[in-house]
Amino acid sequence: MAGGALRSWIDHELANIALDIHSQFGQMTLSSLLIIGIGCEALSTKQQRKFPDDFLFGAATAAYQIEGGWNADDKGEDIWDHMTHNYPHVIKDHTNGDVAADTYHNYKRDVEMMRELGLDAYRFSLSWARILPNGFANKRSEAGIAFYNNYINEMVKYGITPMVTIYHWDLPQKLQELGGFMSPLFPEWYEDYARVVFEEFGDRVKLWITFNEPRETCYEGYDSDTKAPRVNATGIGVYICAKNLVMAHARAYHLYKNEFASNQDGVVGITISVNWFAPLTDSEEDQFAAEISRQGEWGLYAEPIFSEQGGFPKELSERVAQKSLEQGYPRSRMPEFSDEEKAYVRGTADFFGVNHYSAFYVSATENIEEYVVPSLYDDVNSGAYVPEEWPKAASSWLIQAPDSILNALSHLKDRYNSPDIYITENGWSTAPGAGLEDDDRIRYYRAALESALDALDAGVKLKGYMVWSLLDNMEWMEGYTERFGLYEVDFEDPARTRTPRKSAFVYKQIIKTRVVDHEYEPDTRIMTIDEGH
């Protein structure tokens, strides 16, 4: 139906509705009818909204969480292998990723699941220690490279675009013992690794992500003890790690552009966790608290790459410098970027990968906790608030907030001159045993995708959306106590049987139609491959 005809039909139907209401309830005000009309028009418009045909719908995973085969062939030890084997008590259920979903032996089934869903793309990560067993480029694992070649070839065979994350938290243990991200040599080690993966896989991989979630690497891994390698160098580790990570990213980007892009014709970006932080009130203090929170959570990594001025965020840098002097340090705990370094890093991304899950209200005076001094959160020094009515997932940090994708992406658009954006993770957790009827996950996805459509309507250059996750996995410090998968994995079954949840059928319909249909109820008796996709 053409736009004009649709409008005429809506007007005709509204008139009939008004007559029916009048016959039942008598005279109504003009404003009442206008409210009815506006509501119906908005509903009709939303029902007609479609994602573009070239929009990439996909799913995402990470190597350590699904692959298993932790010591298969000549794979080296990574920091999660080391931590879970030597300190199993730090994992909630004392488990590990030694087998996980065993994708190392089940990758063909995983690609079959991608085909069942009709995915346009699949985002997965490479295990550094599987490709370079000792972390250095002097020894490549033939078996590890063969595994990823087979995996990628299976996707390409069926027209599924591989989106590859080069690093997703699983640093080789040997490099950690030399300082890991705290070493000034880290950017050099990472560039050597990136060269290997570009050489081995770049003829087929055209979408590259250098790092997944720098905050979780640097704050949780080096400033705190909530992720491997649990360095816990509070107030110092996060900032040193952040600079070295950003410099490593830039080296990989320049390497690709200088030596590979002309032949391989791919693009390189970075994925940053961008939850939305909104001021609790309109006061200047709360506005600033929200801004400093955004800078501490993700501006540390986005500003050097995407901002016009380069370097670490201005307000956070000033605050850390002042607090450092007050705490007796001879200089700021946050290292600086030289002018040459700023220029080298600035602009080194073809797209902004966004992992988005939640939102928070931020206050300069309410809910302020007692933070470790010094630490990133003492430097930020703001309080967070979540309304009670916002739905909560099995993960303590995961809340469904209204319009959060629209708000976050609009902010990135305005702040960073409208970059290309992919939502590289977005998902909802349930508890083990919750079953296959995951209506709360479906509710979350539908709301998220409506917000993504709002962002497209607002002019955000959103190119794709990756569900977290294709299948249940080892959820880091939570072990197997939280489930994110479209497909349920039976971790008690040696075969690691995968079974689609209801959300898988709903997501399949969204991909096929490019429309978020809130009334759609799938037949979940069997999931088949749509060969026509």
Side-chain angles (χ1 to χ4, degrees), residues 128-129 131-141 172 174-176 178 185 188-190 192-193 196:
W128 189 333
I131 294 170
L132 304 178
N134 66 3
F136 292 101
N138 65 307
K139 182 183 185 299
R140 302 186 188 190
S141 168
K174 288 187 181 295
L175 297 187
Q176 180 55 40
L178 295 173
L185 295 176
E188 181 180 303
W189 302 337
Y190 181 81
D192 292 341
Y193 166 48
V196 171

Side-chain angles (χ1 to χ4, degrees), residues 453-489:
L453 283 166
D454 290 339
L456 283 167
D457 289 344
V460 173
K461 295 178 182 177
L462 181 59
K463 303 297 184 181
Y465 172 90
M466 307 293 140
V467 162
W468 185 271
S469 178
L470 176 66
L471 71 167
D472 289 341
N473 50 60
M474 197 277 187
E475 190 51 38
W476 306 112
M477 304 298 268
E478 304 305 314
Y480 299 92
T481 67
E482 298 172 3
R483 307 294 171 89
F484 278 87
L486 292 172
Y487 283 73
E488 180 184 72
V489 177

Side-chain angles (χ1 to χ4, degrees), residues 400 405 423 426 443-453 465:
Q400 181 181 333
I405 287 178
I423 296 174
N426 180 246
R443 180 203 65 228
Y444 179 87
Y445 282 148
R446 284 172 170 165
L449 287 167
E450 290 285 8
S451 194
L453 283 166
Y465 172 90

Side-chain angles (χ1 to χ4, degrees), residues 165-183:
T165 307
I166 300 173
Y167 181 82
H168 195 131
W169 304 359
D170 50 355
L171 188 70
Q173 178 62 22
K174 288 187 181 295
L175 297 187
Q176 180 55 40
E177 290 167 2
L178 295 173
F181 282 81
M182 301 294 278
S183 171

